[in-house]
Amino acid sequence: MVQRLTQDSTTDLVASEFPKQLDIAQVSIYRLSFLSAGLFLFLPLVNLLHPSP
């Protein structure tokens, strides 16, 4: 019975840590996508200010 309680508590610990790591990864992907979209929208402005010859 004691082994069963420790096994349940370790699985609870792993299960509670996993969504936090998943959220960090999801936020990182969202930040990268916003950054790439911002750069993509900023490039035409750079081209207007400094056109190529």
Side-chain angles (χ1 to χ4, degrees):
M1 182 98 173
V2 174
Q3 289 178 345
R4 192 170 198 146
L5 288 175
T6 55
Q7 187 179 12
D8 289 342
S9 65
T10 23
T11 42
D12 290 343
L13 180 65
V14 172
S16 66
E17 287 179 0
F18 182 70
K20 185 177 182 180
Q21 292 176 353
L22 185 65
D23 289 341
I24 291 171
Q26 193 173 11
V27 167
S28 301
I29 294 297
Y30 283 146
R31 286 182 182 173
L32 283 174
S33 65
F34 283 130
L35 181 65
S36 62
L39 286 175
F40 181 75
L41 293 174
F42 185 67
L43 281 175
L45 180 63
V46 173
N47 192 18
L48 286 175
L49 294 176
H50 302 287
S52 58

